Amino acid sequence: MGATKTEHFTDKQNAMAGIAKALGHPARIAIIDYLLKVDTCICGDIVNELPLAQPTISQHLKELKNAGLIKGTIEGTAVCYCIDEKTLEKFQNYFKNIANKLEKKKNNCC
Amino acid sequence: MGATKTEHFTDKQNAMAGIAKALGHPARIAIIDYLLKVDTCICGDIVNELPLAQPTISQHLKELKNAGLIKGTIEGTAVCYCIDEKTLEKFQNYFKNIANKLEKKKNNCC
DNA sequence: AACATTTATCGTAATATTGCAATATAATAA
DNA sequence: TTATTATATTGCAATATTACGATAAATGTT
């Protein structure tokens, strides 16, 4: 087939997978990195930073936005993008929880 | 085209994207969840837990293993899989770093 | 208005992923 | 040895992703 069977998994699982998927491309990680590096919130000069064409960057930005990882506000001709902390926090909490559970077990396996 | 241009990004970016990509599927999140839930380290009854055929599960396990997120040791006929904390920690640290940097900026954007 | 600038969308080719049936492999049991 | 059980691999169809040229849309400038 080829399509992910999302309906068989919990909302939480689909949500976490969705965020992870959005982060699952080096260009999108690079965009996040860049947004962190620059002090002022960034517009479209990500195109100059990354070795990808403008439509490709725009597409990656869209995916990050759909996943809730960044948000953008129109500012004149340009669009100002920045990291959306809420989603990142949700994602981070998921892993914090995993780490906590693992700590309790203390490697009683493999 | 269609292939990711990994060569244009840093090793770190590719590494983080690789881990995220492996986590970017609900079935693989579900596998991680399941590995956490069961006290004893798990073998192949993940097949009974998830609504996917055995070859599909095996494939997902392989991807998680390739990403370093789980490790498996042969135990008779079965294979005992469990979470590899080191990779998870690396991933978590990446986000902890992001959160720290964001804290310093205190939303001076968008 | 005409033009420049910035970002988004469309269309499309190349490639990757997802899922499974069939089959192979490996270890144990009878 | 012959089953049995557990997992992996192969091959393939359906679908998704990646990347980009061409073009559109929106705003600002002259």
Side-chain angles (χ1 to χ4, degrees):
Chain A
M1 315 282 157
T4 298
K5 292 187 162 182
T6 47
E7 69 275 15
H8 293 309
F9 304 100
T10 68
D11 286 352
K12 177 98 181 181
Q13 286 168 343
N14 281 314
M16 290 304 117
I19 299 171
K21 194 176 187 178
L23 291 167
H25 192 291
R28 294 194 287 267
I29 291 283
I31 289 173
I32 297 285
D33 281 350
Y34 185 64
L35 281 171
L36 270 175
K37 201 177 66 181
V38 285
D39 285 340
T40 79
C41 187
I42 218 46
C43 357
D45 43 16
I46 304 171
V47 174
N48 298 317
E49 191 75 8
L50 298 186
L52 294 167
Q54 181 268 322
T56 309
I57 302 280
S58 185
Q59 204 172 262
H60 283 308
L61 285 168
K62 192 180 174 185
E63 267 170 84
L64 285 170
K65 205 163 96 185
N66 283 343
L69 282 161
I70 63 174
K71 48 189 172 179
T73 51
I74 294 165
E75 200 150 287
T77 331
V79 173
C80 169
Y81 280 115
C82 70
I83 293 175
D84 190 331
E85 305 177 46
K86 268 180 274 178
T87 307
L88 221 53
E89 201 175 339
K90 244 188 280 178
F91 196 57
Q92 207 166 1
N93 283 340
Y94 175 74
F95 289 105
K96 213 174 279 176
N97 197 264
I98 290 181
N100 285 344
K101 285 186 184 166
L102 279 176
E103 187 113 15
K104 278 186 196 155
K105 294 201 185 178
K106 295 256 181 197
N107 267 19
N108 55 351
C109 71
C110 292
Chain B
M1 317 275 153
T4 298
K5 292 187 160 181
T6 48
E7 69 276 14
H8 293 308
F9 304 100
T10 68
D11 286 353
K12 179 96 181 184
Q13 286 168 343
N14 281 312
M16 289 306 115
I19 299 171
K21 193 175 187 179
L23 291 167
H25 192 290
R28 295 195 286 268
I29 291 283
I31 289 172
I32 297 284
D33 280 350
Y34 186 63
L35 281 171
L36 270 174
K37 200 178 66 182
V38 285
D39 285 339
T40 78
C41 185
I42 216 47
C43 358
D45 43 17
I46 304 171
V47 175
N48 298 316
E49 191 74 7
L50 298 186
L52 293 168
Q54 180 268 322
T56 308
I57 302 280
S58 184
Q59 203 173 263
H60 283 309
L61 285 168
K62 192 179 172 184
E63 266 170 86
L64 285 170
K65 206 163 94 184
N66 284 344
L69 283 161
I70 62 173
K71 48 189 172 179
T73 51
I74 295 165
E75 200 151 287
T77 333
V79 172
C80 169
Y81 280 114
C82 71
I83 292 173
D84 190 332
E85 305 177 47
K86 268 179 277 178
T87 306
L88 221 52
E89 202 174 338
K90 244 187 282 180
F91 195 57
Q92 206 166 2
N93 284 339
Y94 175 74
F95 289 104
K96 213 173 283 175
N97 196 265
I98 290 181
N100 284 343
K101 284 185 184 166
L102 280 176
E103 187 111 16
K104 277 183 197 160
K105 294 200 188 180
K106 296 255 180 198
N107 267 18
N108 55 349
C109 71
C110 291

